[in-house]
Amino acid sequence: QGSAPGEATLVEYWDRLADVPAPVELAVVALPPTDVVSVVRRLGPLGVRSVVVLSTGFAERGQEGLALQRELV
């Protein structure tokens, strides 16, 4: 059920993946690029259906970042 105009919808978050109740439809990952791939891999067994990554340092940063990006997608 959506929020009425002027109201915010509660968004829950957890600091540890082990504490997240499954299933999860969407995870938002905001970490340095060197940590993103391993975290996204750990989301699969939790039943996560979609992931939004908020990070910089992938293909725009050169070959190392491009390799991380390719691993991610």
Side-chain angles (χ1 to χ4, degrees), residues 1-72:
Q1 192 171 7
S3 299
E7 292 182 0
T9 301
L10 176 65
V11 176
E12 297 180 79
Y13 67 93
W14 291 265
D15 293 327
R16 295 174 357 118
L17 289 176
D19 296 336
V20 177
V24 175
E25 292 202 25
L26 173 68
V28 178
V29 178
L31 294 168
T34 52
D35 298 329
V36 169
V37 174
S38 64
V39 169
V40 169
R41 282 192 181 129
R42 292 170 46 203
L43 294 174
L46 295 174
V48 175
R49 299 174 54 106
S50 301
V51 177
V52 173
V53 175
L54 303 174
S55 186
T56 62
F58 288 98
E60 73 275 8
R61 293 288 184 128
Q63 291 302 312
E64 184 178 329
L66 178 60
L68 288 171
Q69 182 174 309
R70 286 183 174 153
E71 232 180 303
L72 187 59

